[in-house]
Amino acid sequence: MPLSDFQPVIGLEVHAQLLTHSKIFCGCSTAFGAEPNHHTCPVCLGLPGVLPVLNQRVVEFAVRTGLALECTVKGTSVWSRKNYFYPDLPKGYQITQYDQPICEWGRLVIDTPAGEKVVRVRRIHMEEDAGKSVHDATASAGQSLVDLNRAGVPLLEIVSEPDLRDSDEAVEYLKSLRDVLMYLGVNDGNLEEGSFRCDANVSVMPKGSTVYGQRCELKNLNSFRFLKQAIEYEVARQVDVLESGGKVLQETRLWDVNKGVTRSMRSKEEAHDYRYFPEPDLPPLHVADALIEETRGALPELPRAKRQRFMSQYGLPAYDAKLLTAERPLADFFEACAPHAPDAKKLSNWFLGELSRLLKEEGTTVSSVRFTPTQLGELLGAVEQGTVSINAAKDVLGEMFRTGAAPANIIASKGLAQVSDVGAVEAVVDEVLAKSASEVEKYRAGKKNLYGFFVGQVMKAMKGKGNPTLVNELLKKKLGD
Amino acid sequence: MALTLEQVRHVATLARLSLTPEEEQRYATQLSAVLDAVAQLQSLDVSQVEPTSHATLASSLLREDVMRPSLPPEKALANAPASVGTCFSVPKILE
Ligand SMILES: [Zn+2]
């Protein structure tokens, strides 16, 4: 059977670092980028005689995320120990949740070329992150260096059902999930720094079958592109194995970025026996109904709902709505500006064009913009009324962006105002035509490409400030077109 | 319930213990006795009893999300057999 006769089946496990100030079980900072082992204490170093004390913000974030993904939030959940040995795991076990996680059975709706698709979320649980090994030139051969700053940073693990059917759906799910977590303010969505990580469970089965094949777990997928490439490689690999009469082995495989292949991590196999048991140092966690209801009431509008509202309320195309709502601050600023702008679609063009360009150029976000929504509205109004040309308005926006000065002041001080007075423009047009008698004659005799010459002369005489619509209108009238 | 030598070796590997053949024999006997003792409990009917994961019925105490000072790195590393800069140094991690 060719590749196209097989159906890929994909589920994703996402680890999202929670945006708390302190770690999950101790007061150490969670800030990224500190010198090695500067954010450690007896608790997160796993020294004897200490006890973990749960950070309440971690619970609040887990409940918030669970509700946003339409999960059942459990009144009681239980902490477990997951036992394995690795140098970045100081206690020899990870405190996590196993058979009784805090949230179960939710869903996330994503867009696919075939329409909406519901992806089921099987569970969400809280756990502590491990430290990491440092690659350092000062380490000699036979040595690895360990930094425990990250040990004990709170994570949410969000596990989907194997509902995804190709690499594009997997990418769309991961992007949508990332957008939701960022909207909720629980995660910064940074794949490169590893604060938003993804493993993929991939199997294949003959099309039409209802029995899933043996699955492999793919790791090291720290970009959307790698996720897509790794799934596509792995699906083809598994089909090859089956086609040549082999069996797919259940194993953990690492995506090799340089070679573009997945390869088996044999050392992981035996360690899969984690001997979970209830964490004796932490009693079961009770979440009060009041907290659940309060959190439900405080949930923000989520990206998908906002996108749909932007389309209906502002009459924006899906493309614009998607880009404007990708990040909450941009969407919020758009909504603050909309009542002041003459036209929502034109406002969107300014947001996605010139404003985005300025933000990118300055390497900053919309929260540091210096102008107010009213001022942007004034600028767009000035363009609409012909007081200022679109090109000049871009300069004005740049100045507003840098200084926060009012558009009217910038237009006045830079002399950017467009001349829209009929009498003034007409006088210039008359003068230009009078000076160019021979060109006018040729034009009238049929040399129509001289038109641009007249426009150029008028604009030159007006230092580029003539209202182009008016200039055209008057020129055509005078030339007898 | 007799634990096989194979099972003893598997558990020893997971716990990173290296056992002599005599120890494997001895632990097989001892661990089997422990399992037998636990197995007696299996004869009780607990179908109507809530599972107890903890001896206390207390709920988790929560703390505010407030940062507290960490240890100075030289203290954090004080018990480490080896260190490089402010990193713990361990035998090379394979893979
Ligand atoms: Zn700590």
Side-chain angles (χ1 to χ4, degrees), chain A residues 26 28 40-41 44:
Chain A
C26 65
C28 290
T40 62
C41 74
C44 58

Side-chain angles (χ1 to χ4, degrees), chain A residues 24-42:
Chain A
I24 182 168
F25 299 123
C26 65
C28 290
S29 167
T30 56
F32 183 81
E35 290 293 304
N37 294 303
H38 280 53
H39 293 165
T40 62
C41 74

